Amino acid sequence: MSEAAGGRGCGSPVPQRAPWSLVAATAALCLVSATSVWTAGAAPMSREEKQKLGNQVLEMFDHAFGNYMEHAYPADELMPLTCRGRVRGQEPSRGDVDDALGKFSLTLIDSLDTLVVLNKTKEFEDAVRKVLRDVNLDNDVVVSVFETNIRVLGGLLGGHSLAIMLKEKGEYMQWYSDELLQMAKQLGYKLLPAFNTTSGLPYPRINLKFGIRKPEARTGTETDTCTACAGTLILEFAALSRFTGATIFEEYARKALDFLWEKRQRSSNLVGVTINIHTGDWVRKDSGVGAGIDSYYEYLLKAYVLLGDDSFLERFNTHYNAIMRYISQPPLLLDVHIHKPMLNARTWMDALLAFFPGLQVLKGDIRPAIETHEMLYQVIKKHNFLPEAFTTDFRVHWAQHPLRPEFAESTYFLYKATGDPYYLEVGKTLIENLNKYARVPCGFAAMKDVRTGSHEDRMDSFFLAEMFKYLYLLFADKEDIIFDIEDYIFTTEAHLLPLWLSTTNQSISKKNTTSEYTELDDSNFDWTCPNTQILFPHDPLYAQRIREPLKNVVDKSCPRGIVRVEESFRSGAKPPLRARDFMATNPEHLEILKKMGVSLIHLKDGRVQLVQHAIQAASSIDAEDGLRFMQEMIELSSQQQKEQQLPPRAVQIVSHPFFGRVVLTAGPAQFGLDLSKHKETRGFVASSKPYNGCSELTNPEAVMGKIALIQRGQCMFAEKARNIQNAGAIGGIVIDDNEGSSSDTAPLFQMAGDGKDTDDIKIPMLFLFSKEGSIILDAIREYEEVEVLLSDKAKDRAAILKGKMIPSYIINSNPEMENEEQPSSENDSQNQSAEQQVVSISQTVDLVDQESPDESSLNSSPESSSPADSEDASNISPSEQTSSPTANHETPSLDGECTDLDNQIQEQSETEEDSNPNVSWGKKVQPIDSILADWNEDIEAFEMMEKDEL
């Protein structure tokens, strides 16, 4: 996708009747024609250092891919902590995340074209042979149509694209006769029954063997799908049609896109997150560029690039104008309501929006791309990785990080557009963090909690399909790649499709024949291909000047634009009342509540109840302010509830061969040494006898000066702690006796005392579920002496390994870096009502159910309790847990200097725990109908974000 490929200069407008190959090539890569010009914004990186980093990426890929092939293949994915494959049905269900697994060696297929990009052509040839020999697409398993399309169909097509390229070069793949394409066609036909709906939108899931709506299919009853699920098909399906000549695939994908376009909200030109596949009604009416919608926008622009159909570009430009008008609040991208786009739908952002700066580069809108990317990079520097969700004041909202590649993708495209070596340094940081915090002996493990550094036994296929591809291309020069990458377009899974498909088998109408909107609206249509010489008019410091005002936006600045303010307030009127400033004893505040339609009721039990009737508000603006106030009040109450609870802790294995590279999520105790206030405890582990620790130990010499391993059950946790402490143990790890339990699927809890004074317990105590505990037990069986570190969060490996004899590759891949402070998470928004909202504010918090004193749940939902045994977890009712903002509540600024309360969010404790997305408000939220129904989406958003690419 170069100037030569397009045949025209990037600044030239593309005529409406230009050949589609010309349009595609020109639109796709004219942005990078000025690459390597802008080098003054940061110190240039030498060719030698770039090569060194590129080689490091190759070594990292070998580590990940090699361990998958050795320990997991032919399973779909590698479980890097337990060094085995993840097979659907043999592991505890992870919900929608497992829908990507179809028993078709997912990671191998997803990695095919990555092997070629990384110049591993011999390995690619071997991998193709394995796919053809071993992969079965006729399995009785229900899979996600979306995930199967982008990962498996896209992987097969990407592999085919590069196989025929290598065959034409004459050295490799001479035996190849389109076998991968035939597999792709077979899979395409298996996916087609999902489109058997009146709307043309596909069902979200399909059985690979039995299809849809048959009894044995176990699927086909769904009514809803996400916008990205239905709108991220056109590249793969159209490519399959163009490769094979079977037009049916492109026709079905186009019909789905046409329907989504018709159902957009006409006044705002935005689309919602979830849509009914039969009626076309929007089920969730919030709109953003992250989870649930992201790749729909991406595929509109890239469909124009690949297929040359101007209607796709018109649609993208129409949506993009709406995004920049309503959603973009630089440097933030905040979800809004499609029919009330001036009203923000939530106060947090999800990690999937990190792809958007890269898409803006392709669009040619560089300034906001630089701004958002810089904000995301600062969040990464603060937490080492981009949390799955983070608040508008940059605190952790959802602490997981499954090694997502979207930020690396945007970094690559920004470097291609600007040539600024700053982005090479960003890529270097990504490499260092992956090696330092995510690398484990059997691959790379997802982060379960970016605050503690604990790991999850998970390495998704997209990590190999995308992350290493973008990182290698970032540091590679043109001569380092055996083919011209600019002749291809990246799918959302970074699979490569050749641009020459735009002129192949063009039997599909280029116009939307099902829509009344067939004429182009030139007011929303930009025919001119963006030119870097115009974007950066001979100013090598262009990107640096955009970044400079944002350099402290995460740590030291009061974030601007966090709350959408109506035009009337911008004109000088008094800003609306914020929940954090509310005082129940302030008459002025009570008057404002009344104006917003909010009533305050004092209950007999000491709680204060807030009820909103939107129709009683003084105006529509006041009603929306009331909505915002009620939402903030629920979030604020939830946040304060979490302040009363202890966060998860970390068990880090520091002995050979782990060297601190495996971190396990552990539950804390309400007694003993508090690891957040004292230095970590480090020592070798030893099993206690008796293993349950419920009586005086018979092997005190074995646990003396060590960390004792104890089995859960048969007595109180505090009793176990006293017994191992009396035997001379310096700490204790309780391992769940419920075989197969895991922090991946079971809620973490904190161990409570026995109802007696526990001040006599001086050692730290942590709890591990069975799966995590088995990792330590297996290590003891294999290596005998195992040393661990008990701490509030994982420690810097460089400090752990100081003075020890360790392999050089670990030293090289783990440079000493400053260990950043990890912020707290905050509760997600709660369900709201339709005609009214009710918030009950409790003045006290009961953390422990007095009838079950041994455990206290870290999650507030009754469903999240641990399995019952003699140490039953207490099911604390939401009303017992919820705390409230007090009348004299103070709001500290983010940097100790900012005083603009209208744009601040309350700073929370560094020890906050992630919220339970399924929290129930019990009596505090009354059921209602329609006006405020838009607030129901936050809980569903968490479920949406569990999908790996949505």
Side-chain angles (χ1 to χ4, degrees):
M1 299 186 293
S2 60
E3 223 176 287
R8 68 170 57 242
C10 283
S12 306
V14 179
Q16 187 167 346
R17 302 300 178 188
W20 298 117
S21 59
L22 176 65
V23 175
T26 306
L29 242 278
C30 58
L31 280 171
V32 302
S33 61
T35 298
S36 78
V37 173
W38 318 115
T39 57
M45 184 176 288
S46 68
R47 165 74 172 163
E48 291 73 21
E49 186 173 2
K50 287 177 63 178
Q51 284 183 328
K52 180 180 178 181
L53 290 168
N55 290 335
Q56 196 168 0
V57 173
L58 294 176
E59 185 278 329
M60 293 164 66
F61 175 83
D62 289 341
H63 179 65
F65 185 74
N67 274 285
Y68 164 74
M69 295 303 297
E70 179 180 354
H71 298 292
Y73 182 80
D76 283 315
E77 290 179 347
L78 169 69
M79 299 171 67
L81 298 183
T82 50
C83 300
R84 56 195 173 95
R86 183 181 295 278
V87 179
R88 186 86 171 264
Q90 293 184 11
E91 302 292 332
S93 173
R94 300 176 298 169
D96 292 345
V97 174
D98 284 340
D99 287 346
L101 311 180
K103 298 182 179 178
F104 37 35
S105 300
L106 176 63
T107 298
L108 180 61
I109 292 177
D110 222 1
S111 305
L112 287 177
D113 52 7
T114 304
L115 289 165
V116 183
V117 172
L118 272 55
N119 298 334
K120 298 180 180 295
T121 48
K122 179 62 172 64
E123 292 87 341
F124 170 74
E125 190 159 7
D126 294 340
V128 172
R129 292 185 186 276
K130 283 185 173 66
V131 170
L132 300 179
R133 182 191 67 203
D134 300 336
V135 172
N136 178 22
L137 298 175
D138 196 39
N139 300 311
D140 179 12
V141 59
V142 177
V143 297
S144 162
V145 172
F146 167 78
E147 298 288 359
T148 304
N149 172 66
I150 64 171
R151 300 206 210 185
V152 185
L153 183 59
L156 293 171
L157 292 173
H160 170 71
S161 299
L162 297 190
I164 57 178
M165 177 275 296
L166 290 173
K167 184 175 182 179
E168 290 176 359
K169 286 181 174 291
E171 183 178 356
Y172 293 97
M173 304 299 294
Q174 295 307 299
W175 54 271
Y176 182 72
S177 297
D178 297 347
E179 289 88 349
L180 290 177
L181 181 59
Q182 295 309 312
M183 288 186 68
K185 188 175 181 181
Q186 176 191 357
L187 180 59
Y189 279 119
K190 285 184 172 293
L191 295 178
L192 283 182
F195 293 83
N196 188 22
T197 61
T198 55
S199 66
L201 299 178
Y203 283 95
R205 298 176 185 86
I206 194 168
N207 188 299
L208 289 175
K209 188 177 184 69
F210 297 109
I212 291 283
R213 295 161 83 176
K214 299 176 183 177
E216 59 267 42
R218 307 185 303 282
T219 189
T221 59
E222 300 91 349
T223 59
D224 306 330
T225 193
C226 71
T227 300
C229 299
T232 311
L233 299 158
I234 186 64
L235 292 188
E236 292 83 2
F237 271 50
L240 184 58
S241 287
R242 302 295 175 98
F243 272 129
T244 64
T247 61
I248 188 172
F249 304 108
E250 186 171 345
E251 289 170 356
Y252 274 104
R254 282 177 175 266
K255 184 179 179 181
L257 274 181
D258 292 345
F259 190 83
L260 289 173
W261 171 249
E262 286 300 301
K263 291 299 179 179
R264 74 193 186 281
Q265 213 289 326
R266 296 302 174 91
S267 61
S268 67
N269 282 318
L270 295 173
V271 292
V273 172
T274 310
I275 191 171
N276 186 294
I277 60 177
H278 304 295
T279 66
D281 295 332
W282 290 110
V283 179
R284 277 186 50 197
K285 302 173 185 177
D286 53 318
S287 185
V289 296
I293 303 179
D294 49 1
S295 48
Y296 163 69
Y297 293 134
E298 177 185 3
Y299 269 36
L300 283 178
L301 181 56
K302 289 183 176 179
Y304 165 70
V305 173
L306 181 65
L307 307 177
D309 186 337
D310 50 25
S311 67
F312 290 129
L313 182 58
E314 179 201 13
R315 296 180 195 182
F316 174 79
N317 282 330
T318 300
H319 284 314
Y320 187 77
N321 289 343
I323 291 169
M324 298 310 292
R325 179 178 181 183
Y326 301 119
I327 295 172
S328 177
Q329 301 176 44
L332 309 180
L333 293 164
L334 298 181
D335 286 17
V336 300
H337 297 277
I338 58 175
H339 57 288
K340 295 179 291 184
M342 296 303 292
L343 181 64
N344 290 140
R346 62 172 58 98
T347 59
W348 50 271
M349 296 171 280
D350 65 74
L352 286 163
L353 62 76
F355 91 101
F356 197 67
L359 189 64
Q360 290 179 304
V361 169
L362 193 61
K363 160 70 177 172
D365 199 0
I366 302 296
R367 175 181 286 275
I370 293 173
E371 291 173 336
T372 298
H373 180 275
E374 179 61 20
M375 176 269 293
L376 294 171
Y377 183 43
Q378 290 188 39
V379 174
I380 288 174
K381 287 193 291 185
K382 189 177 184 68
H383 306 303
N384 300 319
F385 297 97
L386 195 61
E388 197 73 331
F390 54 96
T391 64
T392 50
D393 55 346
F394 312 114
R395 285 176 288 120
V396 174
H397 186 70
W398 201 21
Q400 286 182 305
H401 172 73
L403 306 182
R404 294 199 185 276
E406 285 78 15
F407 181 78
E409 173 185 358
S410 289
T411 303
Y412 165 68
F413 283 114
L414 271 170
Y415 178 65
K416 291 290 285 183
T418 66
D420 190 337
Y422 175 83
Y423 296 108
L424 297 178
E425 296 297 329
V426 173
K428 181 179 179 181
T429 299
L430 298 182
I431 291 174
E432 291 174 343
N433 286 355
L434 284 171
N435 276 320
K436 187 175 183 181
Y437 301 110
R439 186 170 183 142
V440 295
C442 283
F444 290 84
M447 307 306 297
K448 187 170 185 64
D449 193 313
V450 297
R451 299 161 302 167
T452 64
S454 58
H455 291 139
E456 189 173 356
D457 203 3
R458 171 181 179 184
M459 189 179 79
D460 291 82
S461 68
F462 55 69
F463 181 59
L464 286 86
E466 301 183 65
M467 181 69 82
F468 296 114
K469 192 175 292 175
Y470 286 125
L471 287 178
Y472 182 75
L473 290 172
L474 177 64
F475 296 105
D477 290 330
K478 190 170 184 179
E479 56 270 23
D480 296 329
I481 308 171
I482 62 174
F483 64 98
D484 192 348
I485 196 73
E486 296 179 3
D487 288 337
Y488 297 81
I489 191 169
F490 292 98
T491 69
T492 194
E493 191 78 0
H495 293 307
L496 297 174
L497 300 176
L499 287 173
W500 54 258
L501 288 175
S502 61
T503 58
T504 304
N505 294 322
Q506 297 185 69
S507 57
I508 306 297
S509 170
K510 294 188 178 65
K511 290 292 182 181
N512 174 7
T513 57
T514 66
S515 169
E516 59 182 294
Y517 293 90
T518 55
E519 295 301 320
L520 292 178
D521 179 4
D522 288 334
S523 65
N524 286 329
F525 197 71
D526 181 8
W527 284 105
T528 303
C529 183
N531 185 345
T532 48
Q533 297 290 347
I534 298 173
L535 291 168
F536 316 127
H538 306 288
D539 182 1
L541 299 179
Y542 178 85
Q544 182 183 7
R545 290 194 180 115
I546 295 175
R547 291 192 301 264
E548 188 67 23
L550 301 170
K551 66 180 181 179
N552 295 320
V553 67
V554 170
D555 285 325
K556 298 182 180 178
S557 300
C558 289
R560 308 297 302 182
I562 289 175
V563 177
R564 178 74 69 173
V565 181
E566 296 291 343
E567 292 297 331
S568 59
F569 295 120
R570 295 195 187 104
S571 64
K574 189 173 182 179
L577 177 64
R578 305 301 305 277
R580 63 172 179 268
D581 303 325
F582 171 69
M583 292 187 291
T585 57
N586 188 322
E588 183 182 357
H589 288 182
L590 297 178
E591 187 63 32
I592 295 175
L593 290 188
K594 182 178 179 181
K595 188 178 180 182
M596 295 189 298
V598 179
S599 302
L600 185 145
I601 304 171
H602 293 276
L603 302 179
K604 294 181 179 179
D605 60 5
R607 290 179 297 147
V608 176
Q609 189 176 72
L610 299 177
V611 183
Q612 186 193 30
H613 300 272
I615 58 175
Q616 296 179 7
S619 67
S620 60
I621 292 179
D622 290 317
E624 289 190 356
D625 288 341
L627 291 176
R628 185 185 299 114
F629 176 84
M630 297 295 284
Q631 176 74 0
E632 291 176 357
M633 185 60 73
I634 287 180
E635 291 180 350
L636 193 57
S637 297
S638 301
Q639 292 165 8
Q640 292 186 338
Q641 164 200 337
K642 289 302 179 182
E643 288 182 4
Q644 306 296 324
Q645 299 176 344
L646 297 175
R649 301 292 188 230
V651 176
Q652 191 169 10
I653 308 179
V654 298
S655 54
H656 170 82
F658 304 96
F659 300 115
R661 293 181 294 162
V662 171
V663 186
L664 307 174
T665 299
Q670 294 179 340
F671 54 85
L673 184 70
D674 186 351
L675 292 169
S676 66
K677 299 178 180 178
H678 299 80
K679 187 178 180 180
E680 68 275 0
T681 297
R682 177 172 179 166
F684 288 92
V685 295
S687 296
S688 62
K689 292 182 181 180
Y691 188 31
N692 59 34
C694 291
S695 60
E696 183 179 350
L697 267 59
T698 60
N699 64 335
E701 70 288 345
V703 300
M704 174 74 71
K706 296 182 179 180
I707 296 171
L709 301 180
I710 328 160
Q711 186 181 39
R712 178 187 183 184
Q714 301 184 31
C715 66
M716 297 295 190
F717 290 123
E719 184 177 349
K720 299 175 188 288
R722 290 188 180 98
N723 286 330
I724 64 171
Q725 179 176 274
N726 292 338
I730 61 173
I733 299 175
V734 178
I735 298 177
D736 194 9
D737 58 348
N738 181 17
E739 186 175 355
S741 65
S742 168
S743 62
D744 294 347
T745 54
L748 202 64
F749 63 87
Q750 53 182 310
M751 299 181 292
D754 53 6
K756 305 174 184 177
D757 186 359
T758 56
D759 289 344
D760 60 315
I761 302 175
K762 305 298 183 182
I763 61 175
M765 294 289 293
L766 296 182
F767 177 89
L768 291 177
F769 282 108
S770 174
K771 181 179 174 182
E772 286 79 4
S774 295
I775 294 175
I776 294 181
L777 296 175
D778 290 343
I780 293 176
R781 282 190 286 268
E782 186 165 356
Y783 303 106
E784 294 185 3
E785 290 194 340
V786 175
E787 188 179 14
V788 301
L789 189 71
L790 311 184
S791 59
D792 60 335
K793 59 186 177 183
K795 302 305 178 183
D796 191 330
R797 292 180 194 167
I800 291 173
L801 303 175
K802 190 173 183 180
K804 289 185 174 290
M805 296 295 294
I806 55 175
S808 60
Y809 75 89
I810 293 180
I811 298 176
N812 294 335
S813 64
N814 295 279
E816 187 165 353
M817 296 172 62
E818 181 180 353
N819 204 3
E820 307 257 3
E821 284 295 319
Q822 303 297 332
S824 57
S825 67
E826 71 174 287
N827 247 4
D828 71 286
S829 308
Q830 307 300 325
N831 279 346
Q832 300 295 304
S833 55
E835 292 178 351
Q836 62 177 341
Q837 292 182 335
V838 182
V839 179
S840 296
I841 306 176
S842 170
Q843 301 301 328
T844 62
V845 179
D846 293 329
L847 284 180
V848 182
D849 186 336
Q850 296 303 316
E851 295 180 2
S852 304
D854 198 19
E855 295 175 8
S856 169
S857 174
L858 280 180
N859 293 299
S860 55
S861 172
E863 296 81 19
S864 66
S865 300
S866 300
D869 58 10
S870 61
E871 303 163 5
D872 285 340
S874 58
N875 293 336
I876 306 173
S877 69
S879 62
E880 290 175 326
Q881 290 188 337
T882 307
S883 61
S884 70
T886 62
N888 297 319
H889 180 72
E890 295 183 1
T891 305
S893 65
L894 295 179
D895 59 359
E897 298 176 356
C898 301
T899 57
D900 183 3
L901 292 180
D902 184 53
N903 283 316
Q904 292 178 19
I905 299 294
Q906 178 191 2
E907 186 73 3
Q908 295 296 319
S909 165
E910 291 292 326
T911 60
E912 272 185 291
E913 162 66 11
D914 275 339
S915 64
N916 181 353
N918 298 315
V919 63
S920 169
W921 281 78
K923 298 180 180 179
K924 296 179 295 181
V925 179
Q926 306 298 326
I928 45 178
D929 296 303
S930 60
I931 299 179
L932 307 179
D934 298 328
W935 293 108
N936 287 327
E937 54 275 317
D938 279 5
I939 291 176
E940 299 168 3
F942 274 145
E943 298 172 356
M944 284 292 185
M945 288 166 62
E946 277 291 344
K947 289 184 176 292
D948 294 316
E949 277 295 326
L950 299 187

